[in-house]
Amino acid sequence: TALAFGSSIVFSRLGLKEFNVLFFLTLRIAIAICCYLIFLLLLKKRLPSSRKTWIDLLIVGLTSTAAPMLFFHYGILYISSTIFAIFIATIPLVTAFAAHFFIPAEKINKYKVLGLLVSTVGVFFLIFSGQNGINKEALDLRGPFLVILGVLFGALGIVYAKLKLYNEDPFI
C-alpha cells in the first residue's frame, strides 16, 4: 500500500504535466475499474443486490474516493509533493476524530491517543523541520485548501462506510 500510495503522488504530478485533471482522473479510474472487474471475476465475487447498499456505496465512492481525488489532484497543482504528503499524513488523525464523534464504538482511548500523538508529532516535525519544501514567499493557499477539503471528505467517507457498510464484503 505504501509503495502504491507513495508512487501515486509522483505519477500524478507527472500525469498532470501532460493531461488536465479531469481527463487524468478519468483515465486513472478507468484503469482501476478494469483491474477491479478482473479481480471480481477471478475471485467470483457477487455484487450487492440491495438498492440501499448501492446508494451507500455511491455515497462512499463519492465522499471517500471521487471528491478526495478531485481535490487532491487540483491541489497538487499548487503545492509541492512534500507538502501534499504532509497533508495526506493527517488523514488518520482527521478520521479518528470524526469516528470519535460519529461512531459510538470508536471512542478515542489511551492507545488511540498515543498513536495519534505519534502521528501528530511526525506531521509537526515535517512541517517545522525546515526540510518540508515550503516556500513561504510562493505559498499558494489554493493548494493547502483543496488538499484539506480532500482530507475532510476522505475521512467522512471512511466514517460513513464504517457506519453503513459494516456487513458488506470489503472487496465490494
Side-chain angles (χ1 to χ4, degrees), residues 44-164:
K44 298 178 181 160
K45 298 280 186 176
R46 290 183 177 225
L47 293 175
S49 57
S50 159
R51 183 170 189 239
K52 181 190 175 314
T53 300
W54 277 102
I55 291 170
D56 289 334
L57 288 169
L58 176 65
I59 292 168
V60 169
L62 291 172
T63 58
S64 68
T65 303
M69 283 181 71
L70 189 65
F71 289 130
F72 292 160
H73 282 79
Y74 273 112
I76 204 167
L77 296 174
Y78 303 104
I79 58 176
S80 72
S81 297
T82 305
I83 298 302
F84 178 78
I86 291 169
F87 280 114
I88 294 301
T90 66
I91 291 174
L93 301 169
V94 176
T95 304
F97 284 115
H100 175 77
F101 291 106
F102 295 112
I103 303 174
E106 293 288 333
K107 296 297 181 199
I108 295 177
N109 58 36
K110 62 183 176 183
Y111 301 108
K112 290 179 184 176
V113 168
L114 180 63
L116 292 171
L117 207 56
V118 169
S119 179
T120 303
V121 167
V123 169
F124 277 109
F125 175 76
L126 289 172
I127 291 171
F128 296 111
S129 69
Q131 303 298 315
N132 54 28
I134 295 177
N135 179 351
K136 292 178 181 75
E137 293 80 33
L139 183 62
D140 187 332
L141 294 179
R142 289 178 290 185
F145 177 75
L146 289 165
V147 175
I148 288 169
L149 278 176
V151 167
L152 292 173
F153 269 92
L156 292 175
I158 292 167
V159 169
Y160 186 88
K162 175 90 174 184
L163 285 170
K164 299 292 186 174

Side-chain angles (χ1 to χ4, degrees), residues 8-26:
S8 175
I9 297 169
V10 174
F11 288 124
S12 291
R13 188 168 294 285
L14 292 173
L16 291 172
K17 287 182 179 181
E18 301 297 324
F19 306 108
N20 72 47
V21 172
L22 292 178
F23 180 79
F24 183 71
L25 286 177
T26 302

